[in-house]
C-alpha cells in the first residue's frame, strides 16, 4: 500500500501533509483557511481510501508514498519572496559624496546647524541627511537639559524665597 498512492484530492493531500507534520485539525484549518469540519471530512475520506484506522497511519503512508514520487524541482519554492531593492537610476551620483556633503560649506553650515534653535519643522517626510538627524537629536537633548536645569533653579529659588 505504501508503493501505490490512492487517488486523493489536492485538499486531502494538503491535510495529510500537515497531519504528518503533527498539526491537529484546528491548526490545519487555520493554515488552509478552511473549517475544522472540512479538515476532518478530508482526513476521514483519506482514511477510507487508505483503509487504515488512524489519521497518523494515513499520514505516514501518504508521506512515504509521496516521497517515493520524483520531485519536479530540486528546491522547495519560497513561501515569502520580498520585492527587489530599488536601483539607483544614476549609480555615479552616489559615488560623489553622500547627502551633498561639501568641505567648503561644511564649516559655515555646521555652526549654523548646531546653533539653530529647535528641531526642523514642517514637511510630511524626513528629508534630513544622517548628520542632520544626529544634530537635531543633539539639539533636542541640549535644549531639554537647559530646560530641566532652568526649572530646577526656579524651584530652588522659590524654596529660598519661602524660607
Amino acid at each position: 500500500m505504501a508503493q501505490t498512492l490512492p487517488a486523493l484530492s489536492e485538499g486531502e493531500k494538503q491535510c495529510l501533509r500537515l497531519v504528518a507534520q503533527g498539526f491537529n485539525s484546528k491548526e490545519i484549518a487555520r493554515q488552509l483557511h478552511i473549517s475544522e469540519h472540512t479538515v476532518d471530512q478530508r482526513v476521514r475520506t483519506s482514511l477510507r481510501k487508505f483503509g487504515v484506522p488512524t489519521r497518523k497511519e494515513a499520514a505516514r503512508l501518504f508521506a512515504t508514498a509521496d516521497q517515493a514520487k520524483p520531485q519536479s524541482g530540486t528546491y522547495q519554492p519560497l513561501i515569502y519572496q520580498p520585492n527587489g531593492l530599488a536601483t539607483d537610476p544614476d549609480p555615479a551620483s552616489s559615488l560623489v559624496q553622500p547627502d551633498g556633503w561639501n568641505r567648503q560649506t561644511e564649516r559655515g553650515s555646521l555652526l549654523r546647524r548646531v546653533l539653530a534653535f529647535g528641531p526642523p519643522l514642517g514637511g510630511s517626510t524626513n528629508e534630513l541627511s544622517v548628520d542632520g538627524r544626529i544634530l537635531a537629536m543633539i539639539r533636542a537633548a541640549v535644549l531639554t537639559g537647559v530646560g530641566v536645569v532652568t526649572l530646577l533653579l526656579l524651584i530652588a529659588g522659590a524654596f529660598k524665597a519661602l524660607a
Side-chain angles (χ1 to χ4, degrees):
M1 190 176 292
Q3 277 72 17
T4 61
L5 189 64
L8 298 173
S9 70
E10 191 57 39
E12 292 167 348
K13 291 177 184 178
Q14 289 175 335
C15 289
L16 286 179
R17 281 187 191 103
L18 293 171
V19 168
Q21 293 175 13
F23 292 106
N24 62 27
S25 294
K26 190 174 190 177
E27 295 166 335
I28 294 171
R30 280 191 198 133
Q31 285 191 14
L32 298 179
H33 305 291
I34 57 177
S35 72
E36 226 176 306
H37 174 74
T38 304
V39 172
D40 291 336
Q41 184 178 3
R42 288 177 180 178
V43 171
R44 277 193 304 273
T45 304
S46 58
L47 290 177
R48 280 194 303 270
K49 289 180 180 179
F50 275 109
V52 294
T54 65
R55 62 193 286 148
K56 289 186 179 183
E57 182 67 18
R60 186 188 63 77
L61 291 173
F62 173 73
T64 56
D66 196 38
Q67 288 175 354
K69 291 190 318 182
Q71 297 295 326
S72 60
T74 307
Y75 299 105
Q76 177 183 359
L78 294 176
I79 295 171
Y80 172 71
Q81 296 179 351
N83 295 334
L85 296 175
T87 58
D88 190 3
D90 185 17
S93 67
S94 63
L95 297 176
V96 179
Q97 286 297 335
D99 300 321
W101 184 72
N102 189 343
R103 287 193 185 272
Q104 288 80 21
T105 60
E106 177 189 7
R107 292 182 189 100
S109 67
L110 183 61
L111 183 60
R112 267 186 262 122
R113 287 173 24 196
V114 170
L115 296 178
F117 185 75
L121 300 174
S124 61
T125 60
N126 187 352
E127 297 174 356
L128 291 176
S129 62
V130 174
D131 59 337
R133 291 178 193 159
I134 292 171
L135 287 173
M137 288 186 278
I138 291 170
R139 280 195 311 263
V142 168
L143 289 173
T144 303
V146 168
V148 168
V149 169
T150 305
L151 184 64
L152 290 175
L153 289 174
L154 286 173
I155 292 172
F159 278 126
K160 283 184 183 178
L162 291 176

